[in-house]
Each structure stands twice: as C-alpha cells, then as structure tokens.
Amino acid sequence: MLIRNSDYVAHVEKNHRLFELMDRIEYRRIRTPDDFEDIGQLRLKAFNARPVYDTQFSEPLLEPIDYLPETFLFGLYLEDWLVASMRLNTLTAGSYKTPAYEMFSGFLDPVMAQGMRFVDPSRFAVDPAASSEHPGLALLTHRLSTMMTIHVGAQYCLCAVKLEHEGYYRRIFRATRLAGPMEPEGMCVTAVLLGISIQNADYIKERNPIFNFTQTETRLLFDTPVNQLPPLTVRPTARLAAQAPRAA
C-alpha cells in the first residue's frame, strides 16, 4: 500500500506530540481515600459532560468493585493534575462480575466456561478540559489496558463501547465485534462489545509506538503484592522500549 508523503509526515508529527505528552505523564495506582475521592470527582465531571447516562450524577461516583484487591484502578497525572482514569479487571469464570459481563453475560459465560480469560477496562474517564487541550490522553490511558492484557496473557481486551465508537477501535486496535448491539439499562446509548486480540499487539505498537513498554514498567504497575503499597508513581517507558533493539 502506497503512503502519501503528507500522510507520513502527519503520522510522524502525531507520534512526536504523543511522546512529548507521555514524557509529562505519570501513572498512579489508586489506594488512598483521598485518591479514591479524586477519582470519583473526575468521573462525575467526565460522565456529566456527555449524554451517556439517563440522569446526571450528583455526587462522586465510586463503586464496590473499585476497592477490591484484584481491581487495578489507575489515575493519570499530568504534572500533578489528575487528567484521566481507568479501572482494569481480569475476567474469568467465577471472578467478580465486571461491567462488560453485566451487559454481555450471554456471550461471555459460554466462552469463559471454556477457559477464556479477558481484561475488562471500565469507567474510562478523562477530564473534559484536559481532553480538549491534550487529545492524546485517551491513547495514553488505553495503553494501560493493552499492557495488562499482554502482561496477564489474556486472549482479549474487552471494550464495551458506544456503537458509533466502533470504527475508532477497529482502526486503532483492529478490534472485532463480539456481541451486540444492545441498549444498556440506565444509559441513553447503543452499546457493542468489542474484543482486541492479544495477537494484535505488534500491530498496535507499530501503529502507535507509545504502546511499547518495558517489563519493568508492567511489573511496577501490575505485580505489587496486595499487602504492600505500590510505587507512588510509574513513568511510561514507551520511548525507552521503542528504542531498544529487537531480537532477531
């Protein structure tokens, strides 16, 4: 496939901007009461800014699943400003039921009974002001779910998203539709369940080099024992990983 020179230049410039933004970002696993409260406030602001739910939220949005030891709830901080958040859970037969499961259990139950493992990212929230100023925050947040899918060896990363966002996930992640469309209770959108195969990892990294990472980064993010405090912050290592020589 031929690529026009202008397309290549635009691609290079986009990656340059993403790396510059990434260099200012820190990931933090949420563990303290103050941080949980900040996440609840961020969700309140982000979810009320768009017509997704039937009613507006009036107080910080936190749920029991947020506090489970097996839940990985992260905040993205841009120079100490909480700009985005994502909750990550591994979904298997018998595990705590995640939002994607609640909507699409009819599809997920049979395949999980056969031993399939999924990562379910949920409660993705970006500060509206930050999103307007830094559009790359969405990709830097989704980077977490891609890393966890690879790190835990799940077959798919699930994406329960609005129908009109399906094209974006197909383009960026080569996602495929697993179930839907359906209209979730309490929401004013049509939803579909997409799956991003772990087999797409190389494509994702090549398309957006910020999705590269080192094993040190994933270990710091996902391997901290429950009875120990995680690192205060973890800096993205995509630039270092992208520059590392590949094995022959």
Side-chain angles (χ1 to χ4, degrees):
M1 180 178 66
L2 294 177
I3 300 176
R4 296 194 308 269
N5 185 60
S6 59
D7 292 338
Y8 174 77
V9 171
H11 181 70
V12 170
E13 289 178 348
K14 173 193 170 187
N15 284 325
H16 178 69
R17 291 193 300 270
L18 286 171
F19 272 113
E20 285 192 330
L21 176 61
M22 186 194 67
D23 289 341
R24 301 166 60 196
I25 288 289
E26 295 178 335
Y27 296 124
R28 182 187 302 172
R29 188 170 177 190
I30 303 304
R31 288 285 183 87
T32 70
D34 286 347
D35 285 344
F36 275 109
E37 180 69 17
D38 289 343
I39 294 295
Q41 293 285 357
L42 173 64
R43 290 174 179 171
L44 178 70
K45 186 189 306 183
F47 298 160
N48 283 347
R50 292 180 173 83
V52 175
Y53 295 90
D54 288 341
T55 59
Q56 294 272 293
F57 296 103
S58 59
E59 56 187 39
L61 181 58
L62 293 165
E63 301 161 297
I65 190 175
D66 289 320
Y67 299 95
L68 293 180
E70 60 266 34
T71 292
F72 290 84
L73 177 59
F74 289 103
L76 274 70
Y77 292 80
L78 175 63
E79 298 165 355
D80 294 327
W81 174 20
L82 175 62
V83 291
S85 175
M86 178 175 279
R87 182 175 66 201
L88 297 166
N89 292 88
T90 302
L91 182 61
T92 59
S95 66
Y96 191 94
K97 304 313 179 188
T98 65
Y101 177 86
E102 296 295 339
M103 287 190 283
F104 297 101
S105 58
F107 166 79
L108 290 168
D109 272 333
V111 294
M112 289 194 301
Q114 297 174 17
M116 290 196 72
R117 172 192 297 258
F118 302 91
V119 165
D120 183 14
S122 57
R123 291 306 190 197
F124 168 52
V126 181
D127 183 284
S131 179
S132 177
E133 185 176 351
H134 304 289
L137 287 172
L139 283 176
L140 285 167
T141 309
H142 282 297
R143 182 175 177 270
L144 286 165
S145 58
T146 302
M147 283 193 293
M148 184 169 175
T149 303
I150 298 169
H151 187 67
V152 305
Q155 285 90 353
Y156 284 92
C157 177
L158 298 175
C159 303
V161 301
K162 294 195 294 184
L163 177 61
E164 53 264 41
H165 289 173
E166 181 174 6
Y168 170 85
Y169 286 87
R170 286 183 179 274
R171 185 173 67 256
I172 301 298
F173 302 104
R174 281 188 176 166
T176 57
R177 187 187 297 188
L178 303 178
M182 58 90 72
E183 296 181 359
E185 183 178 356
M187 302 179 73
C188 53
V189 300
T190 300
V192 292
L193 181 66
L194 308 179
I196 302 171
S197 171
I198 194 172
Q199 302 300 322
N200 295 348
D202 287 343
Y203 167 83
I204 293 168
K205 293 176 184 178
E206 289 172 6
R207 181 184 177 91
N208 287 292
I210 62 162
F211 280 84
N212 285 281
F213 59 89
T214 65
Q215 295 303 312
T216 297
E217 183 182 0
T218 55
R219 186 172 63 251
L220 291 172
L221 289 169
F222 304 117
D223 285 349
T224 303
V226 173
N227 61 348
Q228 295 183 18
L229 288 176
L232 180 59
T233 59
V234 178
R235 299 296 299 270
T237 60
R239 190 184 293 276
L240 177 63
Q243 294 171 349
R246 295 183 181 273

